[in-house]
Each structure stands twice: as structure tokens, then as C-alpha cells.
């Protein structure tokens, strides 16, 4: 008998809900359900009650949940979904078709962990601009911005987004090696065809210079100009500087010119740190430096990200230290950073880095922690992921289910019990 109780409760619940809906929307007399209502009655019935403001605890939990979701989206989702989520502009292109665009702020937000997307502008939600609004569009960056050099209005297409994301993750040494490999004439310059060949091979057809606004900036309006490694590295350096300067300025509080060590630690922890690990690290940094100690300047902030860009090369150079069983001390880190990458890390910045990654507080970073630092800010190259076998089976079943009515019309009889929804 007890096994029938869930059905009884389900029927009672559905009946109560149904009667509640009828009593609210149709009144006491059901036979007059089809009669038209007056405009005043409709307004009275369709008034939406005001939402109660969320408590501070619920608001903070909601904010944390959204931030964690967006961090996972940045890290694991395909670039098309990331672009659709963080892009905020939808308008017609020169061919009259609707197209999505990223502003400079959208692009910076898509690669910076912990930065919230504006409300009501999530996945497939955009500001739709008509022709009049598009003519009045004003970019949200300064006149000397690198994004205005790429495109006059500072708007980025999907190809621009993928291409810039890839370029941000390429170390300087790899750029020089790539230019030497694809320099057919030996003059140190490459053409747009050579660059296209490299990018298509790296991204398996996802990114293309030909479909990007970057082509005219790098190779001229007629695409006949060649580019050397030095010019290309200057462009990358300008791009890195603007992005990280914008990130630094967003962390400034009041009239200060430095950010706290605690805020810097939150930035360094990036995407991949768990909640418990983040809490433990921030507690360690706060105990050592307080809420606002000496602080991190803009020069130190830019030097850290310049150092992180080539940290993979440094790991290869430090392999001899690891083979002898040695670990990385602050003095060793500063010396190797200057010799290999040319970046001078200040003593205070090195001390903050060690407080973040040194869990044992022995003033030594082990190789696994150093490798984790390398992976922390390396943007993944956007590649197509292969379908799983289970996903493939589900797709085939859905296709068969959709075409089943057409098969029945043609006289093909298929036993329905064999098909499983």
C-alpha cells in the first residue's frame, strides 16, 4: 500500500495547483472561463508583485556562484560559447547580415578571471544596434588604444577574438623561432600568406588572419606589406600593456597608485585554484602583508605578467637545478628571470610571489608549484573537441526520431518499442 502514496501525493498536488490557477485566473465560476475580460480587469490580474531585495548573504552567494560559473566558462568552454557569452553588441555588418561584436571591455572581461559580466547580458543577450545607433556608436577606450588601431570603432569579431587570444599566449622566444621557420627568403620578414599558414595549423582552422581586422593593421591596406619579428613583438607588447594596465586600474582603490598584495594575490590565483586553496592562500598573504602593505605598483604588475609569459622557457632553463635536486629560492628566481627573459623582478614582488606559491613557508618554490604558476595564465589555444561516443549515439537517436514521421509516410514500418527516447 505504501508504494501508492507518491501517486496520491502527486495527484493531490496537481489538483491543488490546478484549482489554484483556475481560482486565480478564472474566478469562482468555471462555465464563464471563455468570456472576455475588460482592460481594467486584465491590468489588475497581470500586476507583477515587486521582488524583495536579496539579503546580503544570498547576494554574496549568488555573486560567488556566477563568478565561478564564468571562470569555468572561460577555462573549459569552446571559444564560440565564450564569445557569445561576453559579446554585448549585435548589429548589421557591411553585407547587411546581423553579426556579433565584442567591445574592448568585453574582450578584457572574457580573459580576466573573477570579472562579472553585466546583468542581463549573458549568453545570447546583446545590445541590438540599428543603423542610426551604429552611426552614433562611440568606443569605450582612449584615442591611443590598440583596439582602435585594429578596428576604427574598437569592435572585434569572432575571428579577432580567437586571434588575439592565441597571440596573448605565445611567448616572445616562440615568436622569433616561428618567424625564422617560415621566412622563405631569409630576410627576417613574413608575408600574410605565411602568417595564415601558421595560424591555420596551430588552431586547426579556427583562426584566420584573412577574416580578421588585424590583417590591415599588420600588413597594410593592400595586404602587400611584410612584417618582421621586431614589429610583431612591438604589437604584442602594446597589446599586453594595455590589457594589464586596464586590469591594474580596475583594482585601484581611492586615490592610491598601488594595489594591495591581497588583490594582487586574487589576480595571480586566476582560474584554476579551488575555493579552499584560494582561502588558504589569501589568509597566508593577509597575515604577512596585511590588507594594505607596501603595495604592488604598475611597473611590478606589468613585470609579473611579462615574466609569466615566458615562464615556460624559464622552466626549461631551470631543469638543471631540478636534476640536482635543488629548488627555486627568491635570489635564483630574480637572477634567472633577468638572464632568460630580461625582466627585473623587485625584491618585494618576489616576496609576494613566494608567499602565494610557497605553502610550507620555507622560502622555496618546488617545481610542481612553479609549473602550476606557468599553467595559471596560459590561455588555452581554442581547438575543436572531439565528440564522445555517448554524445554521438544521442545525436544519432535524435536524428532518427525526427525523421521517423517521414519514414512512416513512405511505408517504411519500424517497430516503435525499439526506439528509446
Amino acid at each position: 500500500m505504501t508504494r501508492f502514496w507518491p501517486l496520491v501525493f502527486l495527484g493531490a498536488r496537481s489538483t491543488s495547483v490546478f484549482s489554484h490557477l483556475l481560482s486565480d485566473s478564472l474566478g469562482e465560476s468555471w462555465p464563464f472561463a471563455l468570456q472576455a475580460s475588460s482592460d481594467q480587469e486584465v491590468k489588475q490580474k497581470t500586476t507583477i508583485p515587486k521582488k524583495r531585495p536579496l539579503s546580503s548573504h544570498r547576494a554574496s552567494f549568488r555573486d560567488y556562484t556566477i563568478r565561478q560559473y564564468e571562470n569555468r566558462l572561460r577555462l573549459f568552454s569552446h571559444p564560440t560559447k565564450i564569445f557569445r557569452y561576453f559579446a554585448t553588441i549585435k548589429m548589421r555588418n557591411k553585407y547587411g547580415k546581423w553579426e556579433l561584436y565584442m567591445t574592448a571591455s568585453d574582450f578584457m572581461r572574457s580573459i580576466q578571471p573573477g570579472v562579472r559580466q553585466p546583468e542581463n547580458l549573458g549568453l545570447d543577450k546583446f545590445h541590438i544596434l540599428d543603423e542610426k545607433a551604429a552611426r552614433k556608436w562611440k568606443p569605450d577606450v582612449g584615442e591611443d588604444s590598440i583596439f582602435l588601431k585594429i578596428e576604427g570603432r574598437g569592435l572585434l569579431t569572432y575571428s579577432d577574438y580567437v586571434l588575439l587570444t592565441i597571440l596573448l599566449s605565445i611567448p616572445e622566444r616562440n615568436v622569433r623561432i616561428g618567424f625564422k621557420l617560415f621566412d622563405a627568403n631569409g630576410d627576417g620578414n613574413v608575408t600574410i600568406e605565411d602568417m595564415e599558414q601558421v595560424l591555420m595549423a596551430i588552431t586547426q582552422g579556427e583562426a584566420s588572419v584573412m577574416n580578421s581586422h588585424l590583417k590591415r593593421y599588420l600588413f597594410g591596406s593592400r595586404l602587400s606589406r611584410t612584417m618582421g619579428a621586431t614589429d610583431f613583438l612591438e604589437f604584442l607588447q602594446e597589446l599586453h600593456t594595455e590589457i594589464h594596465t586596464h586590469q591594474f586600474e580596475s583594482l585601484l582603490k581611492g586615490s592610491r597608485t598601488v594595489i594591495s598584495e591581497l588583490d594582487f594575490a586574487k589576480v595571480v590565483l586566476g582560474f584554476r585554484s579551488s575555493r579552499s586553496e584560494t582561502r588558504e592562500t589569501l589568509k597566508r598573504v593577509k597575515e604577512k602583508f596585511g590588507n594594505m602593505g607596501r603595495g604592488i605598483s604598475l611597473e611590478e604588475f606589468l613585470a609579473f605578467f611579462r615574466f609569466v609569459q615566458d615562464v615556460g622557457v624559464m622552466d626549461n632553463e631551470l631543469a638543471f637545478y631540478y636534476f640536482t635536486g635543488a629548488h627555486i629560492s627568491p635570489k635564483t628566481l630574480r637572477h634567472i628571470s633577468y638572464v632568460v627573459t630580461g625582466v627585473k623582478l623587485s625584491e618585494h614582488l618576489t616576496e609576494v610571489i613566494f608567499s602565494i606559491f610557497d605553502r610550507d613557508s620555507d622560502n622555496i618554490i618546488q617545481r610542481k608549484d612553479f609549473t602550476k604558476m606557468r599553467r595559471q595564465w596560459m590561455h588555452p589555444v581554442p581547438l575543436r573537441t572531439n565528440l564522445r561516443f555517448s554524445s554521438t549515439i544521442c545525436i544519432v537517436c535524435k536524428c532518427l526520431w525526427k525523421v521517423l514521421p517521414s519514414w512512416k509516410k513512405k511505408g517504411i514500418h519500424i517497430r516503435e518499442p525499439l526506439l528509446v527516447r
Side-chain angles (χ1 to χ4, degrees):
M1 183 63 184
T2 55
R3 60 183 179 180
F4 294 105
W5 280 113
L7 297 177
V8 174
F9 283 121
L10 182 60
R13 182 181 177 184
S14 60
T15 305
S16 61
V17 172
F18 184 70
S19 61
H20 176 69
L21 291 175
L22 288 176
S23 61
D24 287 346
S25 60
L26 305 180
E28 296 295 334
S29 56
W30 291 5
F32 299 98
L34 298 179
Q35 290 183 357
S37 302
S38 61
D39 295 340
Q40 185 176 1
E41 292 175 352
V42 171
K43 290 180 181 179
Q44 291 177 356
K45 294 172 185 177
T46 57
T47 54
I48 302 175
K50 295 182 179 180
K51 294 183 179 180
R52 296 181 181 180
L54 295 175
S55 62
S56 58
H57 175 73
R58 292 182 63 188
S60 60
F61 177 76
R62 178 178 180 273
D63 182 73
Y64 171 78
T65 304
I66 294 176
R67 290 179 189 275
Q68 290 298 106
Y69 167 75
E70 292 179 349
N71 285 343
R72 291 194 300 270
L73 188 75
R74 294 181 181 100
L75 190 60
F76 299 112
S77 296
H78 193 271
T80 53
K81 185 174 182 180
I82 301 175
F83 182 79
R84 284 165 47 204
Y85 186 89
F86 289 100
T88 58
I89 303 298
K90 183 178 182 179
M91 64 180 182
R92 296 184 185 275
N93 56 18
K94 60 182 181 180
Y95 303 106
K97 296 182 179 180
W98 289 100
E99 191 173 359
L100 303 183
Y101 295 91
M102 266 187 175
T103 63
S105 300
D106 297 340
F107 177 77
M108 295 177 187
R109 194 163 51 245
S110 68
I111 63 175
Q112 294 177 6
V115 182
R116 280 279 308 274
Q117 179 76 352
E119 292 288 342
N120 302 323
L121 286 176
L123 187 64
D124 293 335
K125 296 180 180 179
F126 321 99
H127 289 303
I128 299 178
L129 304 182
D130 54 10
E131 295 181 0
K132 184 178 180 181
R135 288 194 297 267
K136 295 182 179 180
W137 170 258
K138 294 182 180 179
D140 55 353
V141 290
E143 296 180 355
D144 58 343
S145 173
I146 187 67
F147 293 96
L148 294 182
K149 298 177 182 178
I150 296 174
E151 205 273 337
R153 297 169 297 179
L155 298 178
L156 304 176
T157 61
Y158 173 72
S159 297
D160 299 331
Y161 161 73
V162 175
L163 188 58
L164 291 178
T165 306
I166 294 172
L167 296 180
L168 286 174
S169 63
I170 301 178
E172 178 179 336
R173 179 167 298 189
N174 293 2
V175 173
R176 296 187 182 277
I177 293 175
F179 269 75
K180 291 181 180 179
L181 288 176
F182 290 91
D183 181 16
N185 301 329
D187 58 352
N189 298 324
V190 297
T191 62
I192 189 172
E193 289 80 10
D194 299 331
M195 182 73 73
E196 177 76 3
Q197 183 180 358
V198 175
L199 291 175
M200 293 293 284
I202 293 175
T203 63
Q204 296 183 4
E206 286 289 339
S208 171
V209 182
M210 296 297 185
N211 299 329
S212 172
H213 292 109
L214 200 61
K215 61 182 180 181
R216 299 188 183 279
Y217 174 72
L218 297 178
F219 298 98
S221 57
R222 297 184 179 181
L223 308 181
S224 58
R225 190 173 62 191
T226 58
M227 168 165 286
T230 304
D231 298 333
F232 190 70
L233 289 174
E234 289 179 358
F235 162 73
L236 291 183
Q237 184 65 27
E238 187 176 357
L239 182 64
H240 276 280
T241 301
E242 180 168 349
I243 289 176
H244 297 309
T245 301
H246 178 272
Q247 185 178 10
F248 179 85
E249 292 174 351
S250 65
L251 297 172
L252 289 176
K253 297 177 180 178
S255 59
R256 296 186 64 93
T257 58
V258 295
I259 63 174
S260 66
E261 289 82 358
L262 196 63
D263 290 336
F264 177 74
K266 294 178 182 178
V267 174
V268 173
L269 291 175
F271 297 103
R272 303 174 186 269
S273 301
S274 62
R275 189 175 186 180
S276 59
E277 183 181 355
T278 302
R279 189 187 302 112
E280 179 185 351
T281 303
L282 295 181
K283 181 180 179 181
R284 188 167 58 247
V285 173
K286 188 175 181 180
E287 290 176 352
K288 188 171 184 178
F289 300 100
N291 291 329
M292 180 62 74
R294 173 185 172 276
I296 302 295
S297 64
L298 176 60
E299 291 74 14
E300 292 174 329
F301 194 81
L302 295 177
F304 170 77
F305 284 101
R306 175 67 182 83
F307 159 76
V308 168
Q309 187 181 3
D310 287 332
V311 74
V313 180
M314 287 188 57
D315 187 34
N316 296 332
E317 300 295 333
L318 290 170
F320 297 102
Y321 287 86
Y322 299 137
F323 291 154
T324 59
H327 297 292
I328 307 172
S329 64
K331 184 177 180 180
T332 304
L333 183 65
R334 289 195 298 271
H335 174 70
I336 299 298
S337 173
Y338 179 70
V339 171
V340 176
T341 65
V343 178
K344 294 183 178 181
L345 300 177
S346 64
E347 293 185 5
H348 179 68
L349 178 61
T350 310
E351 188 179 359
V352 176
I353 293 174
F354 269 73
S355 66
I356 295 173
F357 291 97
D358 182 17
R359 299 181 181 180
D360 303 330
S361 300
D362 55 356
N363 211 28
I364 291 175
I365 296 182
Q366 299 180 0
R367 185 174 187 179
K368 60 180 181 180
D369 298 326
F370 193 82
T371 306
K372 183 178 180 180
M373 188 199 309
R374 178 185 63 183
R375 297 197 313 265
Q376 199 75 25
W377 279 93
M378 292 299 291
H379 301 287
V381 177
L383 300 176
R384 293 189 181 274
T385 56
N386 296 326
L387 287 175
R388 296 180 179 178
F389 180 75
S390 58
S391 302
T392 307
I393 294 298
C394 291
I395 293 173
V396 172
C397 291
K398 287 182 180 179
C399 293
L400 290 175
W401 187 259
K402 288 183 178 180
V403 301
L404 181 62
S406 61
W407 288 357
K408 287 183 177 181
K409 291 180 181 179
K410 295 180 180 180
I412 302 176
H413 299 285
I414 299 177
R415 285 194 272 177
E416 293 185 2
L418 294 177
L419 295 177
V420 180
R421 281 190 178 182

